[in-house]
């Protein structure tokens, strides 16, 4: 199999894993939820029980509902001609009216009127029904309590308003609803009458102001009446002069007479303008802007008169427009006043009771179905939220993809969770522990995974460069001894002469897998006492497999391993065995392993899925890197079936192996 990026021997680096996509894919989330399905179930059951308890102890409430309709007819007091021609603006005004009605139904003053109504206040059970025990409770407080039991809803796209009142007894719920809408309709009618009076007074004031403005504008136009008549005469006389000029010479008596008349008209016009300025100070300020022309300092008398004619023409046009505008406004106000008088004689009924308050038969609250559904949904959501919270607080490595992406090393194999990992019972007819799954259950899933591990390590490089392998872990209890023993057996099963060395001199446990006593000579005696290897090795416990135990407990393992003894042991063993497997102490706990790795070709890190903290694994890799060693890969031990399902590259095969794998054993 060609692979250009397979890792080399320990100390030469390892290939970075391929990018397998985002960690939180659908499969991962499914595995996360299924792994703690019990928590979702617990939250669901608890929430349902709480919902049932609430339904049991909650006071039943009866809901009485009435429907009010806002009539289409509206007052025309404020309706101008422009608005009547704009249906969209009328529609917006109608929506404003509806919203105002809805808000008026929720005023505190309205509820205060209801709770002080003699028929309501005299009922001995009224206050207790809304949760008030003190009879001296202020009216605003009682009104707010009732308001909380009332629902006002404007139906979208209609002119209907639903009014609902909840109360522990059905008759009182109906009575409260009827009293509420009665007070509302009464207060709404009074508001209409007040509105009409206010509108009439406003229109009368507007009419008076507009009339005064119209009178002033008409008076200003009348001031120029005589000047306008003289202007017309000047225009006519100019036509006569133009006609005579074409017929006679300059000194003809008729032409001289016509021009003399024109001069007389000019003087009359100028005198009239002076009278206007003297009689109307407001007009004098208008003419003051052209004082030069009026005094004659800036031109001849004829030029001044010519300028005055133009100014009179412009001024009278402005004044006439003001008269027309004021007249139109005055007419509009008079029309609105007539409409207001008609409305006053026949006031419109804006609110009608479309459906009277009904007498409820069954309680409406609590709604058992809704409460149970909300409780169930809330329990599930809370359970899922708790799972994600716990997962965010859990820094352990769980899946193959997560381990490879976060740690940066390839996962050589994922070993499934097995209940026999800590068992010491013996299979019938065997002298070894059932934890040695490659012997006790050679056709099982775990045994097949160890064969996969054997194949993965064989693919890392040339065989002579992979003869020694050391299994270690970050912390204790990760399964390094379980992995070491079973891997050694898997090597022996293919005919490789294999030596398994228990180099964990502090807490040795290899002997328990083979049911051997640990008081016999082992690694310690071989190094310190110079015994022959055959004297410290247990031979043929499994065909082609020899085991060297740790021996007598050494009081100073670090000093013991820092010498040449361990290196010489490996060197001598390589002359007699094809493969050497070393079980070593946890890297992040003690430093013994760091003293051994320089004499090993391949170092493999065992990580327990769902238990080993990410930081501990990273710390172990850092320590190995300080010793100039890079692990060739990771063995992900005790992978849960839920997590294996999210590891698409591994889980499907592992848990389907029992269907066909035995034929390959």
């Amino acid at each position: 199999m060609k692979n250009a990026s397979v890792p080399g021997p320990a100390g030469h680096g390892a290939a970075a894993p391929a990018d397998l996509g985002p960690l939180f894919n659908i499969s991962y989330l499914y595995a996360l939820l299924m792994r703690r399905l019990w928590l979702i179930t617990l939250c669901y059951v608890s929430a349902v029980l709480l919902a049932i308890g609430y339904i049991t102890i909650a006071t039943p409430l009866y809901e009485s509902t009435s429907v009010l309709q806002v009539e289409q007819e509206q007052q025309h007091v404020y309706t101008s001609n422009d608005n009547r021609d704009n249906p969209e603006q009328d529609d917006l005004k109608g929506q404003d009216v509806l919203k105002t009605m809805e808000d008026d139904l929720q005023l505190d003053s309205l509820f205060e009127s209801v709770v002080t109504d003699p028929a309501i206040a005299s009922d001995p059970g009224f206050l207790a029904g809304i949760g008030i025990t003190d009879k001296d409770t202020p009216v605003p407080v009682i009104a707010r309590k009732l308001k909380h039991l009332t629902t006002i809803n404007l139906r979208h796209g209609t002119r209907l308003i639903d009014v609902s009142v909840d109360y522990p007894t059905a008759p009182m719920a109906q009575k409260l609803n009827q009293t509420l809408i009665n007070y509302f309709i009464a207060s709404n009618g009074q508001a209409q009458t007040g509105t009409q009076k206010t509108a009439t007074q406003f229109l009368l004031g507007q009419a008076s102001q507009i009339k005064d403005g119209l009178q002033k504008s008409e008076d200003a136009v009348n001031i120029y009446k005589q000047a306008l008549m003289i202007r017309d005469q000047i225009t006519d006389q100019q036509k006569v002069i133009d006609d005579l000029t074409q017929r006679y010479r300059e000194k003809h008596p008729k032409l001289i007479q016509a021009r003399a008349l024109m001069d007389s008209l000019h003087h009359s016009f100028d005198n009239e303008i002076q009278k206007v300025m003297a009689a109307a100070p407001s007009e004098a300020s208008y003419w003051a802007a052209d004082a030069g022309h009026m005094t004659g300092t800036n031109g001849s008398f004829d030029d001044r008169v010519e300028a005055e004619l133009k100014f009179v023409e412009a001024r009278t046009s402005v004044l006439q427009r003001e008269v027309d505008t004021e007249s139109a406004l005055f007419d509009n106000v008079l029309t609105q006043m007539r409409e207001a008088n008609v409305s006053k004689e026949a006031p419109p009924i804006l609110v009608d009771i479309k459906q009277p308050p009904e007498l409820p038969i069954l309680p409406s609250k609590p709604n058992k179905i809704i409460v149970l559904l909300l409780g169930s949904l809330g329990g599930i959501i809370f359970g899922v939220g708790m799972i994600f919270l716990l997962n965010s607080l859990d820094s352990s490595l769980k899946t193959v993809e997560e381990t490879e992406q976060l740690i940066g090393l390839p996962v050589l194999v994922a070993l499934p969770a097995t209940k026999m990992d800590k068992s010491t019972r013996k299979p019938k007819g065997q002298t070894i522990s059932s934890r040695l799954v490659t012997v006790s259950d050679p056709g099982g899933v775990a045994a097949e995974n160890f064969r996969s591990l054997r194949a993965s390590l064989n693919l890392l490089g040339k065989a002579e460069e992979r003869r020694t392998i050391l299994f270690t872990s970050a912390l204790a209890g990760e399964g390094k001894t379980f992995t070491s023993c079973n891997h050694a057996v898997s090597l022996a099963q293919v005919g490789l002469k294999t030596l398994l060395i228990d180099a964990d001199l502090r807490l040795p446990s290899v002997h328990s897998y083979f049911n051997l006593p640990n008081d016999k000579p082992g690694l310690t005696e071989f190094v310190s006492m110079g015994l022959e290897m055959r004297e410290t090795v247990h031979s043929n416990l499994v065909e082609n497999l020899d085991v060297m135990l740790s021996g007598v407990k050494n009081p100073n393992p670090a000093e013991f391993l820092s010498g040449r003894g361990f290196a010489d042991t490996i060197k001598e063993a390589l002359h007699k065995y094809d493969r050497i497997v070393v079980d070593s102490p946890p890297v992040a706990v003690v430093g013994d392993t760091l003293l051994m790795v320089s004499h090993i070709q391949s170092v493999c890190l065992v990580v327990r899925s769902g238990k080993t903290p990410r930081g501990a694994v990273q710390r172990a890799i850092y320590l190995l890197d300080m010793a100039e060693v890079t692990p060739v890969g990771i063995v992900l031990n005790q992978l849960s079936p839920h997590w294996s399902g999210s590891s698409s590259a591994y889980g499907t095969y592992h848990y389907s192996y029992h269907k066909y794998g035995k034929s390959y054993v």
Side-chain angles (χ1 to χ4, degrees):
M1 178 178 179
K2 184 178 180 180
N3 189 342
S5 61
V6 294
H12 292 80
D19 184 6
L20 298 178
L23 292 178
F24 289 92
N25 51 36
I26 295 178
S27 298
Y28 181 91
L29 296 177
Y30 174 77
L32 179 64
L33 296 177
M34 293 305 297
R35 182 170 178 261
R36 289 194 172 96
L37 184 61
W38 62 270
L39 182 57
I40 298 178
T41 304
L42 177 62
C43 293
Y44 171 79
V45 173
S46 300
V48 171
L49 291 177
L50 288 175
I52 294 175
Y54 170 75
I55 293 173
T56 303
I57 65 175
T59 302
L61 296 177
Y62 293 84
E63 182 182 62
S64 176
T65 302
S66 60
V67 180
L68 303 180
Q69 180 177 4
V70 180
E71 299 293 345
Q72 294 284 350
E73 182 181 2
Q74 301 176 15
Q75 297 184 37
H76 299 288
V77 177
Y78 297 114
T79 304
S80 66
N81 292 330
D82 294 336
N83 290 339
R84 286 196 293 268
D85 295 336
N86 192 343
E88 292 184 0
Q89 188 167 348
D90 287 342
D91 183 64
L92 290 175
K93 182 177 180 181
Q95 293 298 322
D96 291 342
V97 170
L98 292 173
K99 184 61 179 175
T100 301
M101 292 290 182
E102 182 185 19
D103 293 340
D104 288 346
L105 277 165
Q106 302 178 61
L107 292 176
D108 290 342
S109 59
L110 179 62
F111 286 92
E112 291 176 5
S113 300
V114 174
V115 299
T116 55
D117 184 89
I120 301 298
S122 61
D123 191 301
F126 167 64
L127 293 180
I130 59 176
I132 296 178
T133 57
D134 186 4
K135 294 183 179 180
D136 297 329
T137 302
V139 171
V141 176
I142 302 175
R144 284 194 292 272
K145 284 282 189 180
L146 179 60
K147 184 177 180 180
H148 292 157
L149 296 173
T150 305
T151 303
I152 309 298
N153 179 48
L154 173 62
R155 297 185 187 180
H156 181 70
T158 70
R159 309 182 73 83
L160 301 177
I161 301 177
D162 296 321
V163 181
S164 301
V165 178
D166 296 330
Y167 197 80
T169 60
M172 180 55 77
Q174 183 186 35
K175 189 175 182 180
L176 287 169
N177 197 318
Q178 185 65 60
T179 305
L180 178 66
I181 61 176
N182 288 343
Y183 274 102
F184 171 71
I185 292 176
S187 63
N188 187 60
Q190 295 175 359
Q192 293 178 41
T193 302
T195 301
Q196 292 171 352
K197 292 180 179 179
T198 302
T200 302
Q201 294 175 357
F202 172 76
L203 291 175
L204 287 173
Q206 289 291 310
S208 178
Q209 293 179 9
I210 295 173
K211 184 178 180 181
D212 292 342
L214 177 60
Q215 187 63 48
K216 291 179 180 179
S217 298
E218 289 178 345
D219 291 344
V221 172
N222 291 331
I223 289 176
Y224 289 98
K225 184 176 181 181
Q226 185 63 33
L228 292 174
M229 293 176 60
I230 298 174
R231 181 202 62 182
D232 294 339
Q233 293 177 6
I234 291 175
T235 302
D236 294 339
Q237 185 63 27
Q238 183 63 44
K239 292 180 180 178
V240 172
I241 292 175
D242 292 340
D243 181 61
L244 293 175
T245 301
Q246 294 178 358
R247 296 169 56 187
Y248 303 107
R249 296 180 180 275
E250 288 292 328
K251 295 184 179 182
H252 193 277
K254 290 185 177 181
L255 186 58
I256 294 173
Q257 183 181 4
R259 286 176 174 168
L261 181 58
M262 176 64 78
D263 290 340
S264 176
L265 290 174
H266 280 177
H267 282 87
S268 298
F269 182 79
D270 182 63
N271 292 333
E272 189 62 32
I273 294 301
Q274 300 301 323
K275 292 179 181 180
V276 169
M277 289 188 290
S282 60
E283 295 303 312
S285 61
Y286 172 79
W287 290 96
D290 196 60
H293 286 287
M294 290 187 292
T295 58
T297 58
N298 295 330
S300 65
F301 174 77
D302 291 338
D303 292 337
R304 186 179 72 183
V305 171
E306 186 68 24
E308 289 175 347
L309 286 171
K310 294 180 180 180
F311 292 157
V312 167
E313 183 73 24
R315 180 59 176 164
T316 53
S317 297
V318 171
L319 292 175
Q320 188 60 47
R321 284 197 297 270
E322 291 179 357
V323 169
D324 295 341
T325 301
E326 297 288 345
S327 179
L329 289 174
F330 187 68
D331 291 341
N332 186 41
V333 170
L334 292 179
T335 301
Q336 293 186 52
M337 290 178 64
R338 286 193 293 270
E339 292 176 351
N341 289 330
V342 172
S343 299
K344 183 176 181 181
E345 294 173 0
I349 301 175
L350 294 180
V351 180
D352 184 27
I353 302 177
K354 195 68 175 178
Q355 174 183 307
E358 58 183 12
L359 179 65
I361 300 176
L362 298 175
S364 61
K365 297 176 182 178
N367 190 318
K368 297 179 181 179
I369 296 178
I370 297 298
V371 171
L372 288 174
L373 287 177
L374 290 177
S376 303
L377 182 61
I380 293 174
I381 293 175
F382 182 77
V384 172
M386 286 296 297
I387 288 176
F388 282 109
L389 175 62
L390 293 174
N391 183 68
S392 65
L393 299 176
D394 182 9
S395 63
S396 64
L397 300 169
K398 305 173 186 67
T399 67
V400 172
E401 290 90 342
E402 183 182 28
T403 302
E404 290 187 335
Q405 291 192 24
L406 296 178
I407 301 303
L409 291 174
V411 174
L412 300 175
V413 71
L415 301 176
T418 171
K419 295 180 180 180
M420 297 192 302
D421 187 45
K422 294 185 178 181
S423 172
T424 57
R425 65 183 180 86
K426 303 177 184 178
K428 186 176 180 180
Q430 295 186 16
T431 60
I432 59 176
S433 170
S434 58
R435 292 178 294 173
L436 209 59
V437 294
T438 47
V439 176
S440 62
D441 187 18
V445 175
E448 175 59 27
N449 284 319
F450 278 108
R451 287 189 280 271
S452 297
L453 175 60
R454 179 184 65 199
S456 297
L457 292 173
N458 287 338
L459 293 174
L460 293 179
K462 297 179 180 180
E464 59 271 14
E465 296 177 353
R466 300 294 174 184
R467 293 180 62 190
T468 59
I469 181 167
L470 179 144
F471 288 95
T472 187
S473 61
L475 304 174
E478 305 297 308
K480 59 180 181 55
T481 303
F482 172 74
T483 305
S484 302
C485 294
N486 281 282
H487 178 63
V489 171
S490 70
L491 292 174
Q493 287 176 339
V494 293
L496 295 173
K497 187 64 175 176
T498 304
L499 175 64
L500 172 61
I501 300 176
D502 189 352
D504 189 349
L505 303 181
R506 300 174 187 268
L507 292 173
S509 56
V510 170
H511 62 280
S512 64
Y513 281 76
F514 297 91
N515 292 305
L516 297 172
N518 199 34
D519 56 356
K520 301 294 183 181
L523 177 61
T524 301
E525 287 75 17
F526 178 78
V527 174
S528 61
M529 299 177 61
L531 298 180
E532 295 291 334
M533 184 166 288
R534 58 183 175 78
E535 299 180 87
T536 59
V537 168
H538 297 269
S539 302
N540 290 323
L541 296 175
V542 175
E543 186 178 359
N544 295 321
L545 176 63
D546 292 347
V547 178
M548 177 183 287
L549 301 179
S550 61
V552 179
K553 188 173 182 180
N554 195 302
N556 297 304
E559 289 77 0
F560 174 77
L561 293 171
S562 62
R564 291 292 307 171
F566 181 77
D568 293 339
T569 302
I570 297 297
K571 184 176 180 180
E572 182 175 344
L574 286 174
H575 292 295
K576 299 179 179 180
Y577 297 94
D578 299 317
R579 296 289 187 272
I580 299 174
V581 180
V582 180
D583 179 35
S584 68
V587 177
V589 178
V590 294
D592 300 357
T593 301
L594 302 178
L595 300 173
M596 295 184 277
V597 292
S598 60
H599 310 298
I600 301 297
Q601 293 175 318
S602 301
V603 174
C604 192
L605 193 63
V606 179
V607 175
R608 184 158 184 169
S609 174
K611 179 182 178 183
T612 310
R614 184 189 315 164
V617 178
Q618 293 172 335
R619 173 66 178 173
I621 295 175
Y622 170 76
L623 293 173
L624 291 172
D625 184 66
M626 294 295 291
E628 299 183 353
V629 172
T630 301
V632 297
I634 291 175
V635 174
L636 192 60
N637 189 28
Q638 291 292 294
L639 181 65
S640 168
H642 302 302
W643 294 127
S644 66
S646 69
S647 303
S648 57
Y650 297 86
T652 303
Y653 175 76
H654 289 164
Y655 289 91
S656 301
Y657 171 75
H658 67 280
K659 297 180 180 179
Y660 58 86
K662 291 183 179 180
S663 61
Y664 293 94
V665 178

